[in-house]
């Protein structure tokens, strides 16, 4: 073998070792073997070999003998790292370490083990959960009239409140041993979502006690006495809970809570006891106006050392539970957040509570922030994704139906390319929403995935916003006329609620997703930080040595993987499936490697500055989020049997995520402060340029848009999840009824309209036209009867509401009749 061929062979071997993630000993041994090979082939003389050995051997020994490596190399790095690492408050430490990582860690790691995703078994409804959805939830939905709730009553009817309490809607997460329903996160998601397809107000009312609130906190952290007393009362509806976290001076930065509690001694009923004097001002508290028990977050102080530690004054955020009628607690008037679910302020001045009111007792004093962060997953990972998915379900079905029955310029509006651009997006985003909802609810059943839930809170509510806006575009003027027939107006008005709660979206995207995800999901960074903070320096050095050199190997491996996969067009990437999703899986894996390398370089170059570069860190968070959602779609499509009707939906959703990933990465690289490093990052991620990733094609978008107007497999699955009622109180049911009736008479109906338009059929009014068409054998009598039945339904479905001045002036307190459809025989058939 010639020296040149051997050089190529050696380079390929070394690249292969880096690509495969070979350990340090194997890699250094390979370098030594390559040198000996060159010497044997005559490409390296004796002097050259001696010089090489003089340099190589000491380095190889130091690198591969752990004790020597720690003393010579790692110790000074460890010292510098420990010094540079910013001090971390207990609150920050709790927030960082709270919760678990899940599949998203594989995406962040750059070399996903696809079996972990494909082996995930979606949570299935139990017999009890399925029965509750089909009976109690269905019955609740029938009791709800969203227009009356929002415009006339500004509240749920009392019989609805009573029913929800009696049937344990507020106790879905409370275990059966305490009398609750003990539902899985997926079942809770399905219940909340189904109610949301009927009434956002009712949905939020059910959602809050089953997400961040006293019930969950007591379940996880409460003392046995607290569980025995409070849980049965929450289960049977005797107590309505709320939780006070945000306030006038604190919103997304909940760690900055100004509300205080001071430990004191008080004589109560002739007996001295330890207690806490509270001063607080809370706002935006859902259910506060009707709450009978208040969960409260505050900063606990013990200036006199009454808890036993004379050197500890500030205990930090603590959670307590107190009856709403506790002296000096003032439940304020209602907020009006665009929807009419109960929401308002709570104020307390010099409020005394016994120490036993702290959730978990005195042992949990100061541990409230970790409790809160771990329990946020219910709101971020279950409730808000459920609301978002429900909006997608409803808009998918209703907008698809409207686009088919509404005609302009002699054709259904859903056939216009401009409309299809919007309806295709609605279909693709709804598919992505549902895939992400199902996977994330399953994750919440397995662990407390803090990073995943933050990602889903942001992206799913943003997708909901996009779906609602595009649906409004399609419906046009029908959207802005409020009334019982308008199924979009209330969704639009309440949309900012989901965007804002459980961490405002701007904050969640720019600070939490990557800020927390980069440390929690990285295989080595958290270990390095924990090693640096270890008070046992010898043990810390040993742990840091292992983590640091593991981290170095990780960087080189992911860089090589991204580069090689890019140069080979993803051909060396793995796919867990065959068929139409295989290439997508390979494209996802390459971008996973690119993210891992990019994140490591960014953290290495910018250090703590990256956290303050919110635009940059947000883009990396977007990459991680879309990797997760793309794999959720892949999993959903494969699990549901690779149905032909669903393929365009899955293609649209994944191509959209790949496009967003590429956009975020290239924008990150283009705006990286060090331009040379930015160009290097871009070359590694896209060595051959951006390639074919341009987002969903017009063809795929049109296929989804066309499917949206049919009862396809995905639509039928959604129909099983939504509530469809009858009559004026359910406008969605009206529009779906019209679309179903149209499907039963097409294409004959279209041919009839064309005959009217061309003059082959004549007559004043529909009835005359039908008789003429039957007489001329252009349509059958059965089709004529079908059209005769369809037209009143169609016309009624596209009407908007009008009201008397007195009805509007009194907010519905003076009864009024909503205008009904005029007899369709007064109108000519729409051509």
């Amino acid at each position: 073998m010639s020296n040149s061929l051997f050089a190529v062979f050696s380079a390929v071997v070394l690249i292969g070792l880096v690509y495969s993630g070979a350990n340090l000993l194997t890699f250094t041994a390979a370098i030594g073997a390559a040198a000996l090979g060159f010497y044997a082939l005559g490409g390296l003389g004796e002097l050259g070999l001696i010089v090489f050995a003089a340099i190589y051997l000491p380095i190889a020994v130091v690198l591969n003998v752990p004790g020597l490596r720690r003393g010579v190399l790692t110790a000074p790095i460890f010292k510098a790292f420990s010094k540079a690492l910013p001090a971390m408050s207990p609150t920050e430490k709790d927030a960082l370490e709270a919760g678990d990582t899940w599949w998203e860690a594989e995406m962040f790691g750059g070399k996903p083990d696809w079996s972990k995703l494909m082996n995930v078994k979606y949570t299935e409804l139990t017999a009890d959960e399925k029965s509750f959805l089909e009976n109690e939830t269905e019955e609740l939905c029938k009791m709800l009239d969203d227009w009356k709730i929002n415009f006339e009553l500004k509240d749920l009817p009392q019989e609805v409140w009573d029913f929800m309490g009696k049937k344990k809607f507020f106790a879905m997460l409370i275990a059966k041993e305490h009398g609750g329903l003990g539902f899985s996160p997926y079942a809770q998601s399905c219940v909340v979502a189904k109610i949301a397809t009927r009434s956002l107000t009712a949905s939020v009312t059910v959602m809050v006690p089953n997400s961040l609130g006293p019930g969950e906190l007591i379940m996880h952290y409460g003392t046995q006495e607290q569980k025995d007393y409070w849980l049965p009362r929450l289960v049977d509806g005797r107590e309505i809970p709320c939780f006070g976290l945000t306030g006038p001076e604190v919103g997304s930065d909940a760690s900055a809570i100004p509300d205080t509690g001071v430990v004191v001694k008080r004589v109560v009923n002739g007996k001295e006891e330890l207690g806490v004097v509270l001063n607080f001002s809370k706002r935006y508290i859902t259910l506060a106006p009707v709450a009978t028990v208040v969960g409260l977050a505050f900063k606990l102080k013990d200036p006199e050392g009454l808890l036993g530690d004379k050197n500890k004054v500030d205990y930090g955020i603590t959670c307590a539970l107190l009856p709403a009628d506790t002296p000096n607690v003032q439940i304020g008037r209602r907020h009006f957040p665009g929807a009419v679910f109960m929401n308002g302020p709570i104020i307390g001045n010099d409020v005394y509570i016994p120490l036993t009111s702290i959730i978990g007792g005195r042992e949990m004093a100061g541990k409230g922030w970790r409790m809160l962060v771990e329990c946020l997953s219910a709101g971020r990972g279950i409730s808000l994704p459920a609301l978002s998915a429900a909006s997608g379900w409803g808009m998918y079905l209703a907008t698809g139906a409207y686009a088919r029955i509404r005609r302009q310029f002699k054709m259904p509006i859903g056939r216009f390319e401009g409309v299809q651009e919007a309806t295709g997006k609605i279909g693709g985003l709804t598919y992505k929403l549902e895939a992400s909802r199902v996977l994330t609810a399953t994750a919440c059943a397995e662990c407390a995935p803090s990073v995943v839930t933050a990602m889903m809170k942001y992206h799913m509510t943003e997708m909901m916003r996009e779906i609602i806006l595009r649906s409004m575009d399609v419906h046009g003027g029908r959207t802005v006329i409020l009334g019982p027939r308008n199924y979009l107006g209330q969704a639009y008005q309440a949309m900012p609620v989901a965007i804002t709660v459980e961490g405002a979206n701007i904050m969640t995207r720019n600070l939490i997703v990557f800020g927390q995800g980069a440390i929690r999901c990285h295989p080595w960074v958290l270990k390095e930080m924990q090693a640096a903070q270890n008070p046992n320096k010898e043990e810390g050095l040993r742990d840091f040595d292992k983590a640091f050199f593991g981290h170095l190997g990780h960087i080189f491996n992911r860089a090589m993987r991204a580069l090689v996969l890019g140069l080979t067009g993803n051909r060396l990437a793995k796919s867990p499936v065959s068929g139409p999703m295989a290439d997508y899986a390979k494209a996802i894996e390459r971008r996973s490697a690119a993210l891992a390398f990019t994140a490591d370089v960014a953290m290495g170059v910018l250090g703590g500055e990256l956290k303050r570069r919110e635009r940059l860190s947000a883009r990396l968070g977007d990459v991680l989020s879309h990797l997760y959602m793309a794999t959720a779609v892949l999993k959903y499509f494969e699990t549901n049997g690779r149905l032909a009707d669903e393929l365009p939906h899955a293609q649209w959703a994944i191509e959209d995520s790949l496009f967003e990933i590429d956009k975020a990465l290239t924008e990150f690289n283009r705006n990286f402060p060090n331009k040379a490093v930015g160009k290097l990052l871009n070359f590694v991620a896209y060595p051959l340029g951006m390639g074919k990733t341009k987002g969903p094609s017009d063809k795929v978008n049109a296929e989804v848009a066309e499917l949206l107007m049919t009862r396809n497999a995905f639509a039928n699955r959604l129909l099983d999840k939504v509530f469809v009622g009858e009559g004026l109180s359910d406008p969605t049911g009206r529009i779906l009824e019209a679309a179903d009736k149209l499907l039963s008479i097409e294409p004959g109906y279209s041919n009839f309209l064309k005959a009217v338009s061309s003059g082959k059929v004549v007559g004043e009014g529909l009835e005359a036209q039908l008789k003429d068409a039957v007489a001329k054998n252009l349509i059958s009598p059965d089709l004529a009867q079908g059209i005769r039945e369809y037209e009143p339904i169609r016309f009624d479905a596209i009407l908007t509401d009008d009201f008397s001045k007195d009805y509007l002036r009194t907010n519905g307190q003076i009864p009024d009749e909503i205008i009904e459809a005029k007899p369709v025989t007064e109108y000519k058939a729409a051509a």
Side-chain angles (χ1 to χ4, degrees), residues 428-445:
L429 289 179
T430 299
Y431 196 83
K432 192 187 296 189
L433 274 172
E434 180 62 0
S436 299
R437 180 190 76 91
V438 173
L439 185 63
T440 304
T442 297
C444 289

Side-chain angles (χ1 to χ4, degrees), residues 639-654:
T639 302
N640 286 307
R642 302 183 179 184
L643 301 179
D645 280 356
E646 295 196 24
L647 179 57
H649 294 82
Q651 289 174 320
W652 193 103
I654 294 182

Side-chain angles (χ1 to χ4, degrees), residues 98-101 173 185-186 188-189 207 210-213 216-217 220-221 369-386 437 440-457 460 502-503 516:
D100 306 298
T101 58
L173 64 74
Y186 177 67
Q188 294 176 49
S189 172
M207 176 185 87
N210 290 288
S211 58
L212 178 60
E216 185 175 17
L217 292 171
H220 288 289
Y221 309 105
W369 185 239
R370 188 183 187 101
M371 293 161 58
L372 292 171
V373 171
E374 290 180 342
C375 289
L376 276 171
S377 61
R380 288 177 175 169
I382 301 172
S383 300
L384 289 171
R437 180 190 76 91
T440 304
T442 297
C444 289
E446 295 186 6
C447 58
S450 56
V451 179
V452 162
T453 53
M455 293 191 305
M456 292 302 94
K457 188 278 171 186
M460 292 187 74
E502 302 286 12
Q516 187 178 23

Side-chain angles (χ1 to χ4, degrees), residues 272-395:
E272 188 177 70
E273 68 176 23
L274 286 181
V276 180
V277 174
L278 299 166
N279 286 279
F280 57 88
S281 178
K282 304 290 187 180
R283 66 176 177 180
Y284 309 143
I285 310 306
T286 301
L287 296 187
V290 295
T292 61
V293 58
V294 178
L296 199 70
F298 57 92
K299 285 185 176 178
L300 182 67
K301 297 179 181 294
D302 184 17
E304 298 180 30
L306 298 176
L307 294 179
D309 189 343
K310 297 293 184 180
N311 298 317
K312 188 173 183 179
V313 175
D314 295 319
Y315 274 74
I317 295 175
T318 301
C319 297
L321 198 63
L322 56 151
D325 60 2
T326 300
N328 297 333
V329 171
Q330 177 186 350
I331 302 294
R333 299 184 300 177
R334 287 178 61 180
H335 295 315
F336 188 49
V340 298
F341 59 85
M342 289 293 170
N343 190 279
I346 305 175
I347 299 171
N349 293 303
D350 295 322
V351 177
Y352 175 79
I353 60 172
L355 206 62
T356 53
S357 294
I358 294 177
I359 297 176
R362 64 190 297 167
E363 291 77 14
M364 296 303 290
K367 298 180 181 178
W369 185 239
R370 188 183 187 101
M371 293 161 58
L372 292 171
V373 171
E374 290 180 342
C375 289
L376 276 171
S377 61
R380 288 177 175 169
I382 301 172
S383 300
L384 289 171
L387 292 181
S388 301
S391 296
W393 302 347
M395 293 306 101

Side-chain angles (χ1 to χ4, degrees), residues 2 20 50 75 199 313 319 326 342 555 631 638 672 778 796 804:
S2 68
S20 64
I50 292 171
S199 166
V313 175
C319 297
T326 300
M342 289 293 170
I555 293 173
T631 57
E638 293 290 328
F672 198 76
L778 295 175
D796 180 74
S804 70

